[in-house]
Every structure is written in C-alpha cells, then in structure tokens.
Amino acid sequence: MADGVDAIQEGWRRERPDFPVESIGVITRIWRLAQWFSDDRRRTLRALDTDPSTLDLLSTLRRSGEPYAMTPAELAEASLISAGAISQRVAKAERAGWVHTERGASGKRTSRVRLTEAGLWLNEQLVGDLLAHEQTLVEHLSPGERAQLTELLRKLLAGLG
Amino acid sequence: MADGVDAIQEGWRRERPDFPVESIGVITRIWRLAQWFSDDRRRTLRALDTDPSTLDLLSTLRRSGEPYAMTPAELAEASLISAGAISQRVAKAERAGWVHTERGASGKRTSRVRLTEAGLWLNEQLVGDLLAHEQTLVEHLSPGERAQLTELLRKLLAGLG
DNA sequence: TCCCAGTTGTTTAGACCTAAACTCTTCCGC
DNA sequence: GCGGAAGAGTTTAGGTCTAAACAACTGGGA
C-alpha cells in the first residue's frame, strides 16, 4: 500500500542511499494533506461565492464573541498573516458588505473591524457546512486513530517552538 | 498543554456548542505544520540564494536518475502543479544555469528539460543539507511515534482519494 | 494527401501573499 | 509643551500560483 510519497523516498534511496529520508514520510505527507484540504475548501467556498481568506477573517471575528470586532493588529496576530494582508482582506470583505470598519473619532489612527449582520449570517452558514463536511474527511480513521493523530500532530507542532 | 489550535476549537465550542469541531484538531494542525515547514525551508534556501520551487524542480529531475531529463508534462505530473507553473519554474532555473531545455529538431514542439552539471551539483548540496536539517525537526518524536505518525498520515491521505 | 481534433507547451490575466516603504498618531523624556 | 522615536495601518512592488487563452505540432480517417 504505497503512495506518491513512498515513490519520492524510494527515488532518493535508489539515487543517494546515504541520505536520511525518514523526514520525507512525515513532512511531504503533511504538505500534500494541507494542499488537499486547501483545494477542497477553495472549491467548496467558490461554489458559494466566497474564498478561504474571507472565511478566515469572518470566522476569527465570529469566534472572538460579541461584539464581533477586532483591530487589524489583533486580526493579524490571530490569523498568522501579515498586517498588509489583513488590510487587503478587510478591504475585500468590506466591499462585499460582510464587515464594516469603524474608525475612531475624527482623524484617529486606530480602527476596529466589525462583522455586519450579513457577515455574521454568512459565517454561521459556511462554518456549519464546512465543519460537517470536513468531519467526513477524517472519518476514514477510527475515533482512536483520530485521537492518536491529533496528539502526535500537537506534539510535533509544539516541538517546533 | 494547549496550543493555538485548541484555542480555536474552544472558541467555537463556546460560541456554537452545536458545531462538530473535532476535525479542526487534525486539519488546522496540518495546515500550521505545513506552513511552518514551508517557511523554514524558504528561509534556509534564501540564505543559499535559491527557493523551494527551484529546489523542487531540480530534485524531481535528480530523483528520476540518469540522464536527469524530463518533459514539461512529466514534470507537471510529478510536481503536482500546473503546466504553466512548470514553464515559469524552468525559465527561472534556466536563467540561473541549473537546467537546460533541449528542443527537438528544428521547430519540434517537444522538449526535454535536463539538469546541467551545475544544477546537479547544487542539488546534491541542498538536498543533503535539507534532509539532515529536517530530520532534526521530527526528532522531537520518538522513533515509534514517528512511525505511527507516518502510518496515520498515509492512511488519511489515501482515504481522500 | 489533407484536414481537423487532440495534445503539448507558453503566455497572460488575476489572486493573494510578503516585505518594505510610507503616512499618520501616540507618547516618552526633557 | 516639544521633538522625535515607536507604533499602527495602508500602499506598493515583486513573486508564485492557477485558469484560461493562445500557439504549434501530431496523427488518424476520409
């Protein structure tokens, strides 16, 4: 039961038997899984006229709880992307009407990005559907395997710093 | 021992206790690990004046064995990226002197991309160093855990089709 | 032999990201 | 108060990808 990643490992073992190829089995599979899940999400969301970046923005605001408002700096930290990318995501979501930027009193530099009613409603729909769908994607593994995998991933991630 | 992914899960559990959040623990961690490994590789390669796309191209050719030559279509299939992206990767690597495109007899449409001596040499250095480095990244896990993780990832990937 | 549909490769338009430059505000220390 | 450094947000340049348009060869059937 071999997959494309085994083929890569075997290629290197054949060509350079002295190279340590064990990490490929973990890291390359993680890359492929990430790509697969990303593509799947992009396809699903495109059919609903949105995209993963916008969903991530709305979900971050939603998860923060009432009043569903955060500063750009907070959003950047929570989303693990640059502040510049947040500006662009917010501009796009604002054009679509999902969020509204509240600027401080005249000329203030600070601002807060807040979910609109429409944005809140959209997010509830999308997240509910997506989580249900993604649950089915991991159910090829038994409950025990899922728990084991979760723990191993957590440990690997924690070990990286 | 909680990480940022647990915070996301707890956020949803608090805001929407009816949503099935188990998949987040697997999928989001896979995304974060993929991002971490990608960033790490990009940083490492930038210090050596290259980038992951170029390394992937050279490695695919190298792994194919003598004479280290493939057509663009074969490269696209092996690399899991579009043919257009291959054109651009090849153009860049050719400018740097790592590969050479051999076109068929006058006016032929077919072509083969071949590693140059310099490209072969560069690849040996980079892959040797990277694999040694990446081995250290997974050694926070015991040998048994690494084997278990590899199997679970393989099974999850296979289950996606 | 000729035609045209399919295949192969390249180019271009459009996304989205990062990094860095830039603008404006805030606030510390004198 | 004042001046300038630090902080916050936006804009822009550059890079890489996909999707789609485009260009050019190939090969089977009339």
Side-chain angles (χ1 to χ4, degrees):
Chain A
M1 153 122 126
D3 62 9
V5 179
D6 289 311
I8 292 176
Q9 265 181 336
E10 275 153 33
W12 280 120
R13 264 199 278 263
R14 184 185 65 244
E15 297 292 322
R16 290 298 304 255
D18 56 320
F19 282 174
V21 298
E22 187 196 9
S23 65
I24 294 175
V26 172
I27 295 178
T28 301
R29 282 196 180 86
I30 285 175
W31 274 329
R32 295 212 173 176
L33 284 162
Q35 179 95 46
W36 201 98
F37 290 130
S38 291
D39 288 350
D40 184 68
R41 211 175 239 211
R42 185 177 12 246
R43 270 193 306 275
T44 305
L45 291 175
R46 169 154 4 156
L48 301 168
D49 262 320
T50 350
D51 57 272
S53 311
T54 300
L55 178 69
D56 187 41
L57 174 64
L58 305 189
S59 296
T60 302
L61 288 166
R62 175 66 184 81
R63 256 191 343 260
S64 75
E66 296 264 22
Y68 311 131
M70 297 171 72
T71 66
E74 290 167 344
L75 286 168
E77 191 194 343
S79 305
L80 304 178
I81 64 174
S82 66
I86 289 290
S87 277
Q88 296 175 55
R89 286 185 178 186
V90 169
K92 181 175 179 180
E94 191 149 23
R95 282 196 298 276
W98 310 134
V99 302
H100 177 66
T101 300
E102 307 174 331
R103 294 202 164 62
S106 68
K108 282 275 166 46
R109 193 69 182 157
T110 59
S111 67
R112 292 180 76 76
V113 180
R114 178 199 290 266
L115 268 188
T116 62
E117 276 299 317
L120 177 61
W121 183 88
L122 175 69
N123 189 248
E124 303 288 291
Q125 303 303 311
L126 295 181
V127 174
D129 287 1
L130 270 183
L131 287 180
H133 170 61
E134 290 175 357
Q135 181 65 36
T136 70
L137 299 180
V138 299
E139 275 176 350
H140 296 101
L141 302 184
S142 70
E145 288 173 326
R146 296 200 293 272
Q148 213 173 33
L149 177 56
T150 300
E151 283 315 306
L152 288 168
L153 292 173
R154 186 212 307 279
K155 185 167 179 184
L156 181 57
L157 191 50
L160 296 177
Chain B
M1 153 123 121
D3 63 9
V5 179
D6 290 311
I8 292 176
Q9 266 181 337
E10 276 154 31
W12 281 120
R13 263 200 277 263
R14 183 184 64 243
E15 297 292 322
R16 290 297 303 255
D18 55 321
F19 282 175
V21 297
E22 187 197 8
S23 66
I24 294 175
V26 172
I27 296 178
T28 301
R29 281 198 180 83
I30 284 174
W31 274 329
R32 295 213 173 175
L33 283 163
Q35 179 95 44
W36 201 98
F37 289 131
S38 291
D39 288 350
D40 184 66
R41 209 174 242 213
R42 179 150 24 87
R43 269 194 305 275
T44 304
L45 291 175
R46 170 157 359 159
L48 301 167
D49 262 320
T50 349
D51 57 271
S53 312
T54 300
L55 177 69
D56 186 42
L57 174 65
L58 305 190
S59 296
T60 302
L61 289 166
R62 176 65 184 83
R63 254 190 345 258
S64 75
E66 296 265 21
Y68 312 130
M70 298 170 73
T71 66
E74 291 166 344
L75 286 168
E77 192 194 343
S79 305
L80 304 179
I81 63 174
S82 67
I86 289 290
S87 278
Q88 297 175 56
R89 286 185 178 186
V90 169
K92 181 175 180 181
E94 190 150 23
R95 281 197 299 277
W98 310 133
V99 302
H100 178 65
T101 300
E102 308 174 331
R103 295 201 164 62
S106 68
K108 282 276 166 43
R109 191 72 183 155
T110 59
S111 67
R112 293 180 75 76
V113 180
R114 178 198 288 266
L115 267 188
T116 61
E117 277 298 317
L120 178 60
W121 182 88
L122 174 68
N123 189 249
E124 304 287 290
Q125 302 304 311
L126 294 181
V127 174
D129 287 0
L130 270 183
L131 287 179
H133 170 62
E134 290 175 356
Q135 181 64 36
T136 70
L137 298 180
V138 299
E139 276 177 349
H140 297 100
L141 302 183
S142 70
E145 288 173 326
R146 295 200 295 270
Q148 213 172 33
L149 177 56
T150 299
E151 284 316 306
L152 288 168
L153 292 173
R154 186 211 307 279
K155 186 167 179 184
L156 181 58
L157 191 52
L160 297 176

